[in-house]
Coordinates of all heavy atoms in Angstrom, one line a residue:
L263 N 101.9 135.8 111.9 CA 100.8 135.2 111.2 C 99.4 135.7 111.7 O 98.5 135.9 111.0 CB 100.8 133.7 111.3 CG 102.1 133.0 110.7 CD1 101.9 131.5 110.7 CD2 102.3 133.5 109.3
F264 N 99.4 135.9 113.0 CA 98.1 136.4 113.6 C 97.7 137.8 112.9 O 96.6 137.9 112.4 CB 98.3 136.6 115.1 CG 97.1 137.2 115.8 CD1 96.0 136.5 116.1 CD2 97.1 138.6 116.1 CE1 94.9 137.0 116.8 CE2 96.0 139.2 116.7 CZ 94.9 138.4 117.1
G265 N 98.6 138.7 113.0 CA 98.4 140.0 112.4 C 98.2 140.0 110.9 O 97.2 140.6 110.3
L266 N 99.0 139.2 110.2 CA 98.9 139.1 108.7 C 97.6 138.6 108.2 O 97.0 139.1 107.3 CB 100.0 138.3 108.2 CG 101.5 138.8 108.2 CD1 102.5 137.8 107.7 CD2 101.6 140.1 107.3
T267 N 97.1 137.6 108.9 CA 95.9 136.9 108.5 C 94.6 137.8 108.8 O 93.7 137.8 108.1 CB 95.7 135.5 109.1 OG1 95.9 135.6 110.5 CG2 96.7 134.6 108.5
I268 N 94.7 138.5 110.0 CA 93.6 139.4 110.3 C 93.4 140.5 109.3 O 92.3 140.8 108.8 CB 93.8 140.0 111.7 CG1 93.7 138.9 112.8 CG2 92.7 141.1 112.0 CD1 92.4 138.3 113.1
V269 N 94.6 141.1 108.9 CA 94.5 142.1 107.9 C 94.1 141.5 106.5 O 93.3 142.1 105.8 CB 95.9 142.7 107.7 CG1 96.0 143.7 106.5 CG2 96.3 143.5 109.0
G270 N 94.6 140.3 106.2 CA 94.3 139.6 105.0 C 92.8 139.3 104.8 O 92.3 139.4 103.7
M271 N 92.1 139.0 105.9 CA 90.7 138.8 105.9 C 89.9 140.0 105.5 O 88.8 139.9 104.9 CB 90.2 138.3 107.3 CG 90.7 136.9 107.7 SD 90.5 136.6 109.4 CE 88.8 136.5 109.6
K272 N 90.5 141.2 105.7 CA 89.8 142.4 105.3 C 90.2 142.9 104.0 O 89.8 144.0 103.6 CB 90.1 143.5 106.4 CG 89.7 143.1 107.8 CD 90.1 144.2 108.8 CE 89.8 143.8 110.2 NZ 90.3 144.8 111.2
H273 N 91.0 142.2 103.2 CA 91.6 142.6 101.9 C 90.4 142.9 101.0 O 89.4 142.2 100.9 CB 92.5 141.5 101.4 CG 93.5 142.0 100.4 ND1 93.1 142.4 99.2 CD2 94.8 142.1 100.5 CE1 94.2 142.8 98.5 NE2 95.3 142.6 99.3
D274 N 90.6 143.9 100.1 CA 89.6 144.3 99.1 C 89.5 143.2 98.0 O 88.4 143.1 97.4 CB 90.0 145.6 98.5 CG 89.8 146.8 99.5 OD1 89.0 146.6 100.5 OD2 90.5 147.8 99.3
E275 N 90.6 142.5 97.8 CA 90.6 141.5 96.8 C 90.0 140.2 97.4 O 90.6 139.6 98.3 CB 92.0 141.2 96.2 CG 92.1 140.1 95.2 CD 91.3 140.4 93.9 OE1 91.2 141.6 93.5 OE2 90.8 139.4 93.3
E276 N 88.8 139.8 96.9 CA 88.1 138.7 97.6 C 88.8 137.4 97.6 O 88.8 136.7 98.6 CB 86.7 138.5 96.9 CG 85.9 137.5 97.6 CD 84.4 137.5 97.0 OE1 83.7 138.5 97.1 OE2 84.0 136.4 96.5
E277 N 89.6 137.1 96.6 CA 90.3 135.8 96.6 C 91.4 135.8 97.6 O 91.6 134.7 98.2 CB 90.9 135.5 95.2 CG 89.9 135.3 94.1 CD 88.9 134.2 94.4 OE1 89.3 133.2 94.8 OE2 87.7 134.4 94.2
V278 N 92.0 136.9 97.9 CA 93.0 137.0 98.9 C 92.3 136.8 100.3 O 92.8 136.1 101.2 CB 93.8 138.3 98.9 CG1 94.8 138.4 100.0 CG2 94.6 138.4 97.5
A279 N 91.2 137.6 100.5 CA 90.5 137.5 101.8 C 90.0 136.1 102.1 O 90.1 135.7 103.2 CB 89.3 138.5 101.7
K280 N 89.5 135.4 101.1 CA 89.0 134.1 101.3 C 90.1 133.1 101.8 O 89.9 132.3 102.7 CB 88.3 133.5 100.0 CG 87.0 134.1 99.7 CD 86.2 133.3 98.6 CE 86.9 133.4 97.3 NZ 86.1 132.8 96.2
L281 N 91.3 133.3 101.2 CA 92.4 132.4 101.6 C 92.9 132.7 103.0 O 93.3 131.9 103.8 CB 93.5 132.5 100.6 CG 93.3 131.7 99.3 CD1 94.1 132.1 98.2 CD2 93.5 130.2 99.6
A282 N 92.8 134.0 103.4 CA 93.1 134.4 104.8 C 92.1 133.8 105.8 O 92.4 133.4 106.9 CB 93.2 135.9 104.9
I283 N 90.8 133.8 105.3 CA 89.8 133.2 106.2 C 90.0 131.7 106.3 O 89.9 131.1 107.4 CB 88.4 133.5 105.6 CG1 88.0 135.0 105.6 CG2 87.3 132.7 106.3 CD1 86.8 135.4 104.8
E284 N 90.4 131.1 105.2 CA 90.6 129.7 105.2 C 91.8 129.3 106.1 O 91.9 128.2 106.7 CB 90.9 129.2 103.8 CG 89.7 129.1 102.9 CD 89.9 128.6 101.5 OE1 90.9 127.9 101.3 OE2 89.1 128.9 100.6
F285 N 92.7 130.2 106.4 CA 93.8 130.0 107.3 C 93.2 129.7 108.7 O 93.6 128.7 109.4 CB 94.7 131.2 107.4 CG 95.8 131.1 108.4 CD1 97.0 130.4 108.2 CD2 95.6 131.6 109.7 CE1 97.9 130.3 109.2 CE2 96.6 131.5 110.7 CZ 97.8 130.8 110.4
W286 N 92.2 130.5 109.1 CA 91.6 130.2 110.4 C 90.7 129.0 110.4 O 90.5 128.4 111.5 CB 90.9 131.5 110.9 CG 91.9 132.5 111.3 CD1 92.3 133.6 110.6 CD2 92.6 132.5 112.5 NE1 93.3 134.3 111.3 CE2 93.5 133.7 112.5 CE3 92.7 131.7 113.6 CZ2 94.4 134.0 113.5 CZ3 93.6 132.0 114.7 CH2 94.4 133.1 114.6
C287 N 90.1 128.7 109.3 CA 89.4 127.4 109.1 C 90.4 126.2 109.4 O 90.0 125.3 110.2 CB 88.8 127.2 107.7 SG 87.5 128.3 107.3
T288 N 91.6 126.3 108.9 CA 92.6 125.3 109.1 C 93.0 125.2 110.5 O 93.1 124.1 111.1 CB 93.8 125.6 108.2 OG1 93.4 125.6 106.8 CG2 94.8 124.4 108.3

Side-chain angles (χ1 to χ4, degrees):
L263 301 187
F264 175 81
L266 286 175
T267 52
I268 295 290
V269 172
M271 290 164 67
K272 301 175 183 179
H273 203 290
D274 291 336
E275 178 62 32
E276 184 169 296
E277 294 305 314
V278 175
K280 284 192 298 187
L281 283 160
I283 293 169
E284 285 179 26
F285 175 83
W286 286 101
C287 291
T288 304

